[in-house]
């Protein structure tokens, strides 16, 4: 395909493409949108990395092959609007995914740091902690005594006895502490 001189001027890139940014990012964000206002996205002292083209490649028709960031930054005409929106959405999704992974990693690291402290606290508080298996066993024995006494049979129908037992099981520790 031959590019007319009118179109060639339109697609012409700077003579020294080594000064053309390929991507702009920080340690916390893998993509800074070219349209973003800097002071709304960066804090004082944040390091910004600008990746430059070593060499600009061209496709089989002689058009420059731009990174998504460069496409967003330099292809501003209305005819590129749809493609720009797609690239912008893809890159913003990648930023969200990156930040979620980073948060998850941070939480895992924090959990690993705190794990020895938690284990020590468990050992110290073991006597005060409630053993669910022991409570279940004691509660079953107590319920068996209540049922064998026959006190509930004359006062409460069987369906309501099940509700009472469930309430008793759920709140056994609190009930025994009250009485």
């Amino acid at each position: 395909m031959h590019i007319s001189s009118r179109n060639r001027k339109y697609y012409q890139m700077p003579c020294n493409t080594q000064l053309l940014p390929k991507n702009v990012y920080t340690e916390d964000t893998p993509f800074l949108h070219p349209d973003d206002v800097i002071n709304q996205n960066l804090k004082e002292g944040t390091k910004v990395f600008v990746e430059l083209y070593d060499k600009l490649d061209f496709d089989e028709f002689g058009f420059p092959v731009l990174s998504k960031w460069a496409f967003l930054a330099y292809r501003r005409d209305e005819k590129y609007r749809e493609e720009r929106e797609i690239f912008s959405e893809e890159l913003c999704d990648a930023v969200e995914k990156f930040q979620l992974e980073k948060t998850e990693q941070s939480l895992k690291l924090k959990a690993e740091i705190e794990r020895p402290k938690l284990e020590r606290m468990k050992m110290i508080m073991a006597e005060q902690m409630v053993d669910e298996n022991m409570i279940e066993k004691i509660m079953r024995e107590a319920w068996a005594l209540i049922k064998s006494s026959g006190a509930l049979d004359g006062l409460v129908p069987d369906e309501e006895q099940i509700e009472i037992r469930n309430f008793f099981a759920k709140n056994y520790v609190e009930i025994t502490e009250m009485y």
Side-chain angles (χ1 to χ4, degrees):
M1 176 178 176
H2 180 68
I3 301 174
S4 68
S5 61
R6 184 170 62 99
N7 284 339
R8 187 171 293 131
K9 181 180 178 189
Y10 179 77
Y11 287 106
Q12 195 170 12
M13 299 304 284
C15 294
N16 189 353
T17 56
Q18 290 180 336
L19 299 178
L20 186 68
K22 188 176 188 177
N23 193 13
V24 179
Y25 57 94
T26 68
E27 292 173 340
D28 298 328
T29 307
F31 164 72
L32 293 174
H33 198 288
D35 296 338
D36 285 349
V37 178
I38 290 175
N39 70 353
Q40 292 177 352
N41 294 298
L42 302 174
K43 294 181 257 177
E44 185 71 30
T46 301
K47 290 182 182 179
V48 177
F49 301 94
V50 179
E51 187 178 335
L52 301 174
Y53 278 99
D54 290 331
K55 176 184 160 221
L56 189 60
D57 295 323
F58 293 89
D59 66 12
E60 63 270 10
F61 303 110
F63 296 121
V65 177
L66 298 175
S67 67
K68 291 178 182 180
W69 188 95
F71 191 93
L72 291 172
Y74 301 113
R75 295 286 187 247
R76 310 297 290 180
D77 285 351
E78 183 63 27
K79 67 181 180 179
Y80 296 113
R81 183 178 59 80
E82 187 176 321
E83 207 169 350
R84 284 173 47 83
E85 287 174 1
I86 291 169
F87 286 166
S88 183
E89 188 176 312
E90 286 175 4
L91 291 169
C92 288
D93 288 346
V95 168
E96 280 183 39
K97 182 181 176 188
F98 175 82
Q99 289 173 338
L100 282 173
E101 288 172 356
K102 191 169 181 172
T103 301
E104 193 174 292
Q105 224 175 18
S106 173
L107 290 173
K108 285 180 182 178
L109 180 61
K110 187 175 181 178
E112 288 301 316
I113 291 169
E114 297 296 325
R115 188 173 317 282
K117 293 178 191 174
L118 292 172
E119 292 298 323
R120 178 135 171 83
M121 285 175 55
K122 274 185 183 178
M123 287 175 44
I124 293 170
M125 296 180 65
E127 294 176 12
Q128 299 173 18
M129 295 181 81
V130 177
D131 181 5
E132 295 294 327
N133 294 331
M134 183 60 79
I135 290 175
E136 178 67 27
K137 180 182 173 194
I138 294 170
M139 199 280 311
R140 271 186 276 141
E141 291 172 1
W143 185 254
L145 284 173
I146 293 169
K147 285 295 286 175
S148 66
S149 71
L152 283 179
D153 293 334
L155 298 172
V156 181
D158 287 342
E159 306 85 45
E160 288 182 30
Q161 285 183 24
I162 294 171
E163 290 178 36
I164 292 171
R165 185 200 185 286
N166 291 340
F167 177 80
F168 187 53
K170 184 177 177 183
N171 301 295
Y172 180 79
V173 174
E174 291 84 2
I175 292 171
T176 55
E177 286 180 4
M178 280 194 313
Y179 297 102

